Amino acid sequence: MKLSTKVKRISSFLSIIFSLLIIIILASFVFQMSYIKFNKDAEVLREAYYAEHRELIRDEVYRVYDFIEYHKSMTEERLKKEIKERVYEAISIVSNIYDNNKNKTQEEIDKLIKDALCDIRFNNGTGYYFANRLDGTGILNSPGPNLDGHNLINFQNSDGVYVLKDIIELVEKQGEGFYEYTWTKPDITGNNYRKISYVKYFKPLDMYIGTGLYIDDVEEIVKKEVLERISKIRYRNGGYFFVTTYDGTALVFAQDDLVGKDISNIKDINNVEIHKEEKKVIDAFGQGYVEYVWPKPDEEGVYPKITFVKGIQDWKWILGTGAYTDDIEKTLEIKKEKLKKEIRLAVFKISLIIFLIGLIISFIQVYLLKWAERGIKEEEKIYEILTNLSEDGIFILEASGKIIECNHKGLQMISYNKNEINRLNFKDIIMSPLFNEGIIENNLETYIKDKNNKTMPVDLHIKSIKIKRKKKFIAYARDLTKRRLYEETLKHKAMTDELTNVYNRRFILTQLNSEIEIVKEIGNSTSVVLLDVDKFKTLNDTYGHIFGDKVLKELCTIFTDNLRNTDFIGRYGGEEFIIILPNTNKTIAFKIIERIKNSFEQFKWDEDEKLKITFSAGIVEVDANTIDKNVTDYIEEADKLLYKAKENGRNRIEIN
């Protein structure tokens, strides 16, 4: 063996030992710094954990708040459903009486009807039936029987409204329907209570029969149901909610004995007037956090607590929930102890790994020195291949997938340098399980991942080769970024309206059909909106078609900025647009479109600052009751509502 070869081997061996010593020293320093840094990390953990719990109780309050808002929104719909069903029950009773007593006089039949209906009460006694002839003659007017037999056509309520005239007109035109007015309550002072009634015409006796409910009575029932539900809600480890009125009456409370009582003057041990502090936050911001000390349910003593409260303005309620900070601190201590154990274990593992790696590297280095000359010849062959095939990224691989070498283009693709690639396995940087040791040749479009985890689309071709009688692989990777970008551009153009950059007619109609199928499958509600810019032809004639295009673009920009990520807007044709609002009933859809309509109306145009441009719209709800319709049916129905909005003065929204 030549002397130079011996010197190289000794030098390489010493360099390995020196490198291992440096690694061990650096590792020890890093581990020591990790312990020093632990306290700082623990404080960061504490702040993050507190922030997480503050966000948790806020989200829980918002979840219950949304539940309350939903039931509030359904109050009137619930009322209408009940009174309509009651009237149909009464009509059935009257029809049966009439069919079984046709041989009797009208007065006798009227008495039978009155006897059958006059004592019927529902909704805690506030619901009752009334019946009158179309000439205004009273037949049954509970709870005022003294009105029966009299002509009530000119009777007025406290607002001066001729109620019977209005109802008779409704019956003559429609046969049945809802009517809203103010009226007296049985056995209660005052005559200005808001009421909704449903009436239906019974032709054989030329009379109408109706009933109604007071909105505030139904609302009180809804409140009671909501409070009962809130009192039972629990989350995480026994988290509960409380509800009080603005004036301090407990409606839902952890201490059952305080429910229904005034808790406005309750103080904690630090003299914090809890309810007053909550009310201050509500008055100032509508919601916020309050800190105080409070007993835990089923435990003795008091504990520090942070609470999030939110006001429900129209009901004058305060809704809140909180977390005991001592529980948070206990959990933090557990997490800190776990972190310490993890660091100790990591120190041990890293030390062991460094030792083993150093040992393995030492053996490998010594072994590889024996194959140095053979390796040089192999590299010359590899470089010859790379020189002849340099158009794409080229990688030479072991049978296991480890990268032996690659050309300059390959280095650019994966963002590594020459000294780093030998540590890589090609299987780890491609996104598809493309090859194994048994394959001969394979080709696939996939993605290659660089040093920064950024992916690049490539056309990858892998082929097995023989070098020094050992099986290797050569991989050719061609960058497809430009081609994919071109394909995405074509796809975008195929589904997008060129002028407004929203979806085009073909896509929005296809999407609407998909949303209808989703409703059929899971039974949710989706709203479809058809809108049209008011007096658009006049705008074009007055300001020119370029300005008309600007109006359409701005309209779409305002919609895009205000719609949710799950919503869709597309140009149906001309100045008409279709908006799809998945998982949204028509009431919420009306609020969304109304808000956007107002925003569009207030937009300031450079061409004329006084110019106000509006749009009209029709909204159709797709739900389980209408799923037998197709896309054309819904668009035609929305178009009729849009036409109705135009007829009723424009700048308005009509719903089905």
Side-chain angles (χ1 to χ4, degrees):
M1 182 181 292
K2 293 182 179 180
L3 180 62
S4 60
T5 304
K6 292 182 179 179
V7 171
K8 287 180 181 179
R9 289 185 176 183
I10 294 171
S11 177
S12 298
F13 183 76
L14 290 175
S15 67
I16 291 170
I17 298 299
F18 180 75
S19 298
L20 286 173
L21 289 173
I22 294 296
I23 291 172
I24 292 171
I25 292 170
L26 288 174
S28 299
F29 176 76
V30 169
F31 299 150
Q32 184 64 30
M33 292 301 295
S34 296
Y35 277 104
I36 294 173
K37 189 174 176 290
F38 170 75
N39 288 329
K40 184 183 292 185
D41 290 345
E43 183 59 30
V44 171
L45 176 66
R46 184 178 186 276
E47 292 177 1
Y49 199 63
Y50 264 88
E52 178 186 342
H53 274 73
R54 289 168 72 92
E55 185 176 347
L56 168 68
I57 61 176
R58 184 198 65 192
D59 291 345
E60 290 294 336
V61 167
Y62 266 93
R63 181 169 63 86
V64 175
Y65 176 80
D66 291 341
F67 167 78
I68 293 172
E69 288 298 309
Y70 170 78
H71 280 274
K72 282 167 54 181
S73 67
M74 296 298 291
T75 299
E76 190 168 314
E77 185 174 334
R78 172 177 173 171
L79 181 153
K80 287 184 176 181
K81 183 176 183 294
E82 180 174 356
I83 60 176
K84 185 175 181 179
E85 290 174 352
R86 293 285 185 177
V87 168
Y88 272 79
E89 290 173 3
I91 287 292
S92 178
I93 292 170
V94 171
S95 179
N96 188 53
I97 291 172
Y98 175 75
D99 290 340
N100 293 325
N101 296 278
K102 289 183 179 180
N103 59 329
K104 295 183 180 180
T105 65
Q106 181 173 296
E107 289 75 12
E108 290 175 323
I109 295 175
D110 287 350
K111 186 177 185 307
L112 290 172
I113 292 171
K114 181 176 179 179
D115 291 342
L117 300 180
C118 67
D119 292 329
I120 296 176
R121 295 290 186 275
F122 53 91
N123 200 52
N124 296 326
T126 60
Y128 54 86
Y129 289 112
F130 56 85
N132 299 298
R133 300 211 186 280
L134 293 194
D135 62 0
T137 302
I139 299 172
L140 171 63
N141 283 279
S142 300
N146 57 313
L147 300 177
D148 299 345
H150 298 280
N151 193 295
L152 309 175
I153 195 71
N154 293 317
F155 186 83
Q156 295 175 274
N157 66 2
S158 60
D159 296 328
V161 176
Y162 290 92
V163 175
L164 266 70
K165 284 184 178 181
D166 288 350
I167 292 176
I168 290 170
E169 184 179 353
L170 182 152
V171 169
E172 289 176 340
K173 288 182 178 180
Q174 303 177 19
E176 60 184 286
F178 293 99
Y179 180 68
E180 184 174 342
Y181 55 105
T182 58
W183 202 249
T184 59
K185 278 190 179 182
D187 304 322
I188 297 178
T189 304
N191 53 8
N192 198 29
Y193 296 97
R194 186 165 162 245
K195 185 174 185 179
I196 297 178
S197 287
Y198 189 83
V199 294
K200 182 174 176 61
Y201 181 54
F202 186 68
K203 186 176 180 181
L205 296 176
D206 191 32
M207 68 167 64
Y208 65 85
I209 298 168
T211 189
L213 288 175
Y214 299 93
I215 293 177
D216 59 342
D217 289 340
V218 178
E219 190 174 78
E220 286 302 316
I221 294 174
V222 171
K223 286 181 180 179
K224 183 177 179 182
E225 292 174 353
V226 166
L227 290 172
E228 184 177 355
R229 173 60 180 152
I230 293 173
S231 68
K232 297 177 181 178
I233 296 176
R234 295 293 182 269
Y235 64 94
R236 283 213 171 178
N237 299 323
Y240 60 89
F241 296 90
F242 64 86
V243 180
T244 66
T245 62
Y246 278 7
D247 61 8
T249 301
L251 303 177
V252 175
F253 220 64
Q255 288 75 21
D256 293 335
D257 58 320
L258 293 178
V259 174
K261 297 180 180 179
D262 182 5
I263 52 95
S264 60
N265 295 316
I266 289 180
K267 300 179 182 179
D268 70 358
I269 60 173
N270 298 320
N271 286 322
V272 175
E273 294 179 309
I274 299 171
H275 177 77
K276 292 181 180 178
E277 290 300 316
E278 292 171 346
K279 188 63 168 60
K280 284 180 183 178
V281 171
I282 298 298
D283 291 341
F285 308 106
Q287 62 184 39
Y289 294 92
V290 178
E291 296 186 21
Y292 51 93
V293 293
W294 194 253
K296 286 185 181 180
D298 304 322
E299 289 189 26
E300 293 184 0
V302 291
Y303 302 87
K305 186 175 185 180
I306 182 169
T307 293
F308 182 81
V309 292
K310 183 171 180 62
I312 303 172
Q313 186 60 38
D314 46 355
W315 284 4
K316 306 299 181 186
W317 283 4
I318 296 175
L319 169 67
T321 190
Y324 291 94
T325 56
D326 68 306
D327 291 338
I328 299 175
E329 291 294 339
K330 290 177 184 177
T331 306
L332 277 173
E333 287 303 318
I334 294 172
K335 287 182 176 288
K336 286 180 183 179
E337 191 60 33
K338 184 179 179 182
L339 182 60
K340 287 180 182 178
K341 290 180 180 179
E342 289 175 351
I343 290 176
R344 294 192 192 103
L345 182 61
V347 168
F348 173 77
K349 287 182 177 178
I350 292 172
S351 300
L352 182 61
I353 290 170
I354 289 174
F355 174 76
L356 293 175
I357 289 175
L359 194 62
I360 292 169
I361 289 174
S362 298
F363 281 112
I364 291 174
Q365 287 282 4
V366 172
Y367 178 79
L368 289 177
L369 286 172
K370 296 179 181 180
W371 297 91
E373 292 181 1
R374 191 177 297 175
I376 292 172
K377 292 180 181 179
E378 189 170 320
E379 282 185 12
E380 289 176 351
K381 188 170 183 179
I382 291 170
Y383 280 123
E384 182 180 352
I385 295 172
L386 295 177
T387 301
N388 294 331
L389 302 170
S390 61
E391 180 178 332
D392 303 317
I394 303 171
F395 301 84
I396 305 299
L397 315 172
E398 294 283 4
S400 64
K402 181 183 177 182
I403 300 176
I404 303 171
E405 185 60 274
C406 73
N407 65 351
H408 181 68
K409 180 67 176 178
L411 291 173
Q412 287 181 335
M413 283 181 166
I414 61 177
S415 301
Y416 285 91
N417 58 43
K418 281 278 187 182
N419 299 325
E420 295 174 317
I421 61 169
N422 297 120
R423 299 197 303 267
L424 301 176
N425 191 301
F426 195 71
K427 294 178 181 179
D428 296 331
I429 65 172
I430 59 171
M431 306 300 288
S432 301
L434 188 62
F435 74 100
N436 54 56
E437 295 182 10
I439 69 164
I440 298 176
E441 188 171 358
N442 205 348
N443 189 84
L444 184 69
E445 285 189 9
T446 184
Y447 289 86
I448 195 167
K449 183 170 59 176
D450 69 7
K451 187 176 184 179
N452 301 313
N453 284 326
K454 182 179 179 182
T455 58
M456 172 191 297
V458 294
D459 184 6
L460 191 62
H461 181 79
I462 291 182
K463 184 177 181 180
S464 65
I465 57 174
K466 289 280 187 180
I467 299 177
K468 291 283 184 178
R469 297 181 180 179
K470 292 184 178 179
K471 187 174 183 179
K472 312 287 184 185
F473 286 99
I474 183 167
Y476 307 87
R478 175 162 296 178
D479 187 358
L480 299 179
T481 302
K482 291 183 179 179
R483 194 183 87 181
R484 291 286 177 85
L485 182 61
Y486 178 70
E487 291 172 352
E488 287 297 321
T489 302
L490 291 179
K491 182 179 177 182
H492 179 74
K493 288 183 177 180
M495 60 193 294
T496 306
D497 178 66
E498 185 176 0
L499 173 64
T500 60
N501 205 33
V502 298
Y503 294 119
N504 58 24
R505 179 189 179 103
R506 178 186 299 171
F507 178 86
I508 199 68
L509 292 180
T510 302
Q511 186 62 38
L512 176 55
N513 189 65
S514 298
E515 295 298 333
I516 293 172
E517 292 302 317
I518 292 173
V519 173
K520 290 179 180 179
E521 183 176 341
I522 67 176
N524 62 335
S525 293
T526 291
S527 291
V528 181
V529 184
L530 180 63
L531 67 86
D532 180 272
V533 179
D534 295 329
K535 300 182 179 179
F536 187 73
K537 183 178 184 305
T538 303
L539 289 173
N540 275 334
D541 294 340
T542 305
Y543 297 93
H545 289 275
I546 293 177
F547 177 72
D549 290 346
K550 178 181 178 181
V551 170
L552 298 181
K553 291 177 183 177
E554 193 59 45
L555 173 65
C556 291
T557 298
I558 291 173
F559 264 91
T560 304
D561 291 344
N562 286 275
L563 288 175
R564 303 163 299 186
N565 292 336
T566 56
D567 300 331
F568 300 87
I569 177 172
R571 190 177 182 188
Y572 186 56
E575 67 273 20
E576 287 188 329
F577 295 86
I578 291 176
I579 297 94
I580 304 172
L581 303 171
N583 294 315
T584 306
N585 62 38
K586 60 188 177 184
T587 303
I588 297 174
F590 180 89
K591 293 179 181 179
I592 294 172
I593 303 303
E594 179 71 13
R595 172 170 50 80
I596 298 174
K597 182 175 75 66
N598 294 336
S599 177
F600 181 60
E601 185 179 0
Q602 298 302 317
F603 187 81
K604 301 296 183 184
W605 303 96
D606 295 336
E607 292 77 359
D608 186 353
E609 291 186 355
K610 296 181 179 179
L611 179 62
K612 299 289 185 183
I613 303 177
T614 62
F615 66 79
S616 300
I619 300 176
V620 175
E621 181 175 340
V622 183
D623 57 22
N625 297 320
T626 61
I627 54 175
D628 57 327
K629 299 180 181 179
N630 57 33
V631 171
T632 303
D633 295 331
Y634 287 115
I635 293 177
E636 286 179 355
E637 187 175 350
D639 188 54
K640 290 177 181 178
L641 292 169
L642 171 60
Y643 182 77
K644 181 179 178 182
K646 294 283 189 181
E647 280 191 323
N648 289 337
R650 298 185 176 89
N651 190 23
R652 60 186 286 118
I653 303 167
E654 297 288 345
I655 61 177
N656 67 338

